[in-house]
Amino acid sequence: MALLSVNDINVYYGAIHAIKGVSFEVNEGEIVTLIGANGAGKSTTLKTISGLLRSRTGDITFQDQSITGIPAHKLITRGLAQVPEGRAIFLQMTVEENLEMGAYTRPNSEIEAGLKNVYEHFPRLEERKKQIAGTLSGGEQQMLAMGRALMSAPKLLMMDEPSMGLAPILVDEIFEIIKTLHKAGTTILLVEQNAQMALSVADRGYVLETGRIVTSGTGEELLKDESVKKAYLGG
Amino acid sequence: MSFLNNLINGIGLGSVYAIIALGYTMVYGIAKMLNFAHGDVIMVGAYVCFFASSTYGLHPLVGVLLAMAVCTVLGVVIERLAYKPLRQAPSLAVLITAIGMSYFLQNAAQLLWTPNPKVFPAFFTLANPDGTSRTGVDLFGGQLTVRFTTIVNLLVCIVIMVLLTWFTGNTKMGKAMRACSENKDAARLMGIDVNFTISITFAIGSALAAIAGVLFLSSYQTLVPTTGSMPGIKAFTAAVFGGIGSIPGAFLGGVLLGVIEIMAGAYISTQLANAIVFAVLIITLLVRPAGLLGKQVREKV
């Protein structure tokens, strides 16, 4: 059964038609990835789902309820959390304050348990909990952005290019964590330019080109697909 | 001794600038706009307190609370009607709107309360045994006079500073404000209602403006519809001087500005005092563009 279902959405930036009739689904327990080049509309799609952007036509449903047009700050209580593009952590706040912000809509009594859960996944964040987030390394900032999103105990975790700007060894580490989160039962929608990594962890994938979905399939199928190989996997 | 006298008076005046500057700096920090109508909210607060105490004979403290209530509502309404529709507009449009709002408030005040000056009561006096009243304490055989307003200004300013620092550092709402000031979209994704947070910021800033209005007018007792504009501009200068967006910066900037203004008036030239104040601002910004306590945090990519 589909947890998230995106049906024929069209998104515009002024006169620019950025998303042209995109439809896809994420089922409970899956890792689904949207891959594509810079400017293909991956981040725009995520921002539309999370309510930061509006689709002009089409519908988005989450747990069989339409969430089209609901403002971003009301979606998190329904179980939708996002690790935003470029991480967007609060640089002048401490690590722990960033995590508290992730649990903004939860009652104070649940914050302690949330922090414990995040620190289990990211022990390094616990070591640095009093540190100002702006002083963390790029990899640690990515972990903080992921931890912050987990603080809302989401049913669906959406990640916008978690590998961006990270050294290969850190990319491996981040993807290991994604696999662990998935095993622990989190459904994940992953947007990536690093198609190789994304497809290797994903159950299913969609390829986005200039605002349209051009191919879809299981992660394995797409890894073997000639056109995908040529365009996104370096031959 | 006269130096010490001037220093103390400067700190007293600067404390009021600091309270106004806090309103500028909080609104700038969160809404990223310069609310040039902030100074005129001070004037409205002063009028409310004036009428409450002089016309209706209420206790000055009740007058202050009434002024705070009226200004809080006024601040929130100004934001909703004038600034909120411009959330996506270029900052120049917002700036012009704020200046327009400032003139609107001044003219509305002229219409409602006439341009005739009102004499604001001196609140901070003590009764002498012989029936007269004192406005300050004399120390060292009358060589040093500390006015009560100076003491009250400084105390109120420190209390406000401490409360605001605690609020932004320790409460959920305060932290949400800091989150909004850094990244509004990220704050939205956390479930923070950004519009509501901006309203709260305007409410706090305007309530502080009411307090500042009453304190300012207790020292400079002439109340006219344009009363708020000069302290408003000075406080804006103080906020930039200290580092706009920073709460301790507003305090430091405000107090320094008050001291510089009084000192320049006493030792250089009364006529040039304001010019010197702004010259200090220009020099500071040339050396430290982010202000004294403003910091530039570099983003890692």
Side-chain angles (χ1 to χ4, degrees):
Chain A
M1 202 202 67
L3 180 65
L4 174 80
S5 163
V6 175
N7 308 306
D8 198 23
I9 56 166
N10 285 280
V11 184
Y12 294 78
Y13 288 110
I16 300 162
H17 194 175
I19 301 292
K20 301 160 185 159
V22 162
S23 301
F24 65 92
E25 288 184 341
V26 181
N27 297 312
E28 195 125 26
E30 279 187 315
I31 298 186
V32 172
T33 182
L34 295 181
I35 57 171
N38 230 345
K42 306 184 299 294
S43 296
T44 306
T45 306
L46 273 202
K47 283 183 184 165
T48 309
I49 298 169
S50 59
L52 291 175
L53 294 172
R54 292 270 168 104
S55 61
R56 205 173 280 181
T57 59
D59 188 39
I60 302 166
T61 62
F62 184 68
Q63 292 185 305
D64 293 328
Q65 286 184 321
S66 174
I67 55 167
T68 317
I70 294 179
H73 69 268
K74 288 188 179 154
L75 279 179
I76 195 161
T77 50
R78 296 195 178 210
L80 215 68
Q82 187 176 339
V83 181
E85 191 180 14
R87 306 186 273 267
I89 55 168
F90 304 116
L91 295 168
Q92 296 179 41
M93 299 172 81
T94 66
V95 168
E96 194 149 283
E97 283 174 335
N98 267 274
L99 294 174
E100 283 170 20
M101 286 295 105
Y104 183 76
T105 55
R106 293 177 77 186
N108 287 338
S109 55
E110 290 174 17
I111 290 181
E112 206 53 49
L115 284 173
K116 203 168 157 253
N117 173 47
V118 168
Y119 290 149
E120 263 165 35
H121 284 292
F122 306 99
R124 226 175 312 167
L125 293 183
E126 185 166 25
E127 289 163 28
R128 314 203 159 196
K129 62 183 176 186
K130 297 289 170 212
Q131 209 167 309
I132 299 292
T135 63
L136 297 180
S137 73
E140 288 163 347
Q141 290 191 4
Q142 184 58 52
M143 289 176 193
L144 180 56
M146 290 165 73
R148 187 179 64 174
L150 288 175
M151 284 298 287
S152 66
K155 297 191 183 83
L156 174 65
L157 179 63
M158 302 193 284
M159 292 192 227
D160 199 340
E161 303 220 15
S163 76
M164 191 175 77
L166 297 183
I169 185 160
L170 284 169
V171 174
D172 290 343
E173 196 174 334
I174 294 290
F175 274 87
E176 277 310 312
I177 294 166
I178 292 174
K179 279 194 238 171
T180 318
L181 292 175
H182 178 233
K183 268 188 208 131
T186 315
T187 308
I188 293 170
L189 173 58
L190 176 65
V191 156
E192 260 299 343
Q193 271 194 69
N194 188 337
Q196 176 76 47
M197 285 303 277
L199 290 173
S200 64
V201 299
D203 295 305
R204 294 185 302 113
Y206 295 86
V207 181
L208 212 56
E209 253 170 42
T210 58
R212 283 194 178 87
I213 287 177
V214 291
T215 321
S216 64
T218 65
E220 263 170 75
E221 282 167 5
L222 291 175
L223 275 173
K224 288 181 196 140
D225 186 293
E226 283 307 318
S227 63
V228 173
K229 268 191 191 170
K230 214 168 157 196
Y232 304 105
L233 303 172
Chain B
M1 276 304 164
S2 77
F3 177 81
L4 210 54
N5 251 329
N6 289 325
L7 183 67
I8 291 169
N9 287 338
I11 292 173
L13 175 63
S15 300
V16 179
Y17 289 158
I19 298 171
I20 310 169
L22 283 170
Y24 266 112
T25 230
M26 286 181 70
V27 164
Y28 179 83
I30 285 143
K32 297 285 176 278
M33 65 157 295
L34 295 171
N35 176 22
F36 273 114
H38 191 62
D40 303 290
V41 176
I42 297 167
M43 172 272 295
V44 173
Y47 269 104
V48 171
C49 186
F50 170 81
F51 286 118
S53 59
S54 294
T55 313
Y56 297 101
L58 297 170
H59 190 276
L61 208 58
V62 178
V64 175
L65 290 176
L66 266 178
M68 286 172 73
V70 170
C71 288
T72 301
V73 174
L74 180 68
V76 172
V77 169
I78 289 175
E79 196 278 323
R80 272 291 145 91
L81 294 183
Y83 304 148
K84 194 180 166 207
L86 299 175
R87 207 57 52 82
Q88 310 298 331
S91 53
L92 199 59
V94 186
L95 188 72
I96 299 294
T97 308
I99 293 171
M101 183 48 74
S102 163
Y103 281 110
F104 172 80
L105 289 177
Q106 287 179 21
N107 286 292
Q110 285 204 12
L111 207 64
L112 280 173
W113 301 314
T114 78
N116 299 329
K118 308 242 182 311
V119 180
F120 202 85
F123 284 140
F124 309 112
T125 54
L126 279 186
N128 283 331
D130 59 10
T132 59
S133 63
R134 287 180 292 157
T135 59
V137 278
D138 290 332
L139 300 169
F140 306 110
Q143 287 189 65
L144 185 66
T145 309
V146 182
R147 294 162 69 210
F148 294 132
T149 49
T150 305
I151 302 169
V152 172
N153 289 355
L154 184 62
L155 284 180
V156 169
C157 180
I158 288 172
V159 168
I160 289 173
M161 259 279 298
V162 170
L163 283 179
L164 272 186
T165 307
W166 174 82
F167 176 73
T168 53
N170 295 286
T171 65
K172 209 165 184 174
M173 190 68 224
K175 288 179 191 180
M177 278 183 176
R178 283 159 61 208
C180 286
S181 87
E182 277 205 54
N183 190 328
K184 289 200 183 51
D185 273 352
R188 281 190 184 98
L189 291 176
M190 304 298 115
I192 297 168
D193 185 342
V194 172
N195 284 329
F196 178 72
T197 310
I198 291 177
S199 290
I200 293 288
T201 311
F202 269 84
I204 295 175
S206 306
L208 295 184
I211 297 176
V214 174
L215 293 179
F216 187 78
L217 267 301
S218 314
S219 310
Y220 297 80
Q221 290 163 289
T222 318
L223 176 58
V224 289
T226 52
T227 288
S229 90
M230 204 54 190
I233 289 173
K234 295 258 183 67
F236 165 63
T237 310
V240 176
F241 187 39
I244 195 146
S246 148
I247 289 176
F251 178 74
L252 183 68
V255 171
L256 279 178
L257 204 79
V259 170
I260 293 168
E261 185 181 326
I262 297 284
M263 291 290 181
Y267 296 107
I268 303 174
S269 148
T270 325
Q271 284 90 349
L272 280 179
N274 283 340
I276 290 165
V277 166
F278 290 106
V280 170
L281 171 79
I282 293 168
I283 293 164
T284 311
L285 291 188
L286 283 175
V287 185
R288 283 189 68 93
L292 292 175
L293 297 184
K295 54 184 167 204
Q296 227 71 48
V297 177
R298 230 180 273 142
E299 200 161 339
K300 284 204 181 87
V301 262

